Amino acid sequence: MALTSWYSRKLFFAFLGIIFALLIGAVLIFVVPPIGAIFLVLGILALIPYIFVCIYNSIRLSVADAVYLSSEDGVLSSVRKTWGLTQGKALEIFLVSLLLGICLVVVSFAISIPEMLVRTILTLLTGSALVAIAFSSLYRAALNPILSAMASFVAPSIYLELTNPAPAAIQGQPQVSSTPMAGQPPAQN
């Protein structure tokens, strides 16, 4: 799937059509209001599914950077590989990303509570917000790289799950071991 594929061209032409309808509607709303309103409504109604298609595509391609970095392939073959890996898994990827995003927000909020308390105490003690703002800036400068590092592990984690499915025992199937247990002779073939 190259960037100039028919699918990409269809999306591009759909985008141009939507923009054209919105521009025509914006101009006509001042000249012939009912026709301008119709064009605007049609443009907005066409924009809604277009946005959902773009979101779906971005979810499916969200692990493309991890695929590219883990393989010796080029950019386009990595995008093709990503598209194949994520087929039928867009909802799972979205939900995992959403869950991890919520966890990051909760962790970020929990980390910011002490900073807010110290900032308030410093403001009350010094009577100036300048010291509190300086402390807050230093605190956030120290913690933002940690939170960014946590967020940067989302796509590689999803990629690892896509390429290495859960072991059989976790999926509810009994796991068969090829190594003999202690005290038993090896199996004869």
Side-chain angles (χ1 to χ4, degrees), residues 179-187:
T179 59
M181 293 175 43
Q184 291 184 349

Side-chain angles (χ1 to χ4, degrees), residues 93-115:
I93 293 170
F94 172 73
L95 292 175
V96 166
S97 298
L98 181 67
L99 180 65
L100 290 174
I102 290 171
C103 289
L104 281 172
V105 167
V106 168
V107 167
S108 176
F109 181 72
I111 288 173
S112 69
I113 291 174
E115 180 257 334

Side-chain angles (χ1 to χ4, degrees), residues 22-185:
L22 290 172
L23 288 175
I24 294 295
V27 170
L28 286 179
I29 197 81
F30 296 108
V31 180
V32 185
I35 295 176
I38 290 172
F39 271 95
L40 284 174
V41 167
L42 288 175
I44 291 171
L45 288 177
L47 189 62
I48 293 170
Y50 180 81
I51 289 172
F52 280 114
V53 168
C54 289
I55 290 171
Y56 172 77
N57 289 343
S58 68
I59 289 170
R60 286 205 49 198
L61 295 174
S62 65
V63 297
D65 54 349
V67 172
Y68 175 73
L69 292 174
S70 69
S71 68
E72 307 242 346
D73 300 333
V75 173
L76 291 179
S77 65
S78 296
V79 169
R80 282 188 203 100
K81 187 186 273 186
T82 300
W83 196 257
L85 277 173
T86 59
Q87 183 157 1
K89 297 179 178 145
L91 181 62
E92 295 170 25
I93 293 170
F94 172 73
L95 292 175
V96 166
S97 298
L98 181 67
L99 180 65
L100 290 174
I102 290 171
C103 289
L104 281 172
V105 167
V106 168
V107 167
S108 176
F109 181 72
I111 288 173
S112 69
I113 291 174
E115 180 257 334
M116 289 186 287
L117 291 173
V118 171
R119 187 179 59 201
T120 304
I121 292 169
L122 284 174
T123 303
L124 292 174
L125 291 176
T126 62
S128 171
L130 188 59
V131 174
I133 291 172
F135 169 77
S136 178
S137 297
L138 290 173
Y139 188 85
R140 290 178 188 264
L143 289 178
N144 279 345
I146 296 169
L147 293 174
S148 296
M150 289 171 57
S152 68
F153 284 106
V154 173
S157 300
I158 293 172
Y159 171 65
L160 286 175
E161 279 297 316
L162 290 172
T163 57
N164 302 321
I170 295 175
Q171 294 177 352
Q173 300 171 358
Q175 194 168 8
V176 178
S177 175
S178 61
T179 59
M181 293 175 43
Q184 291 184 349

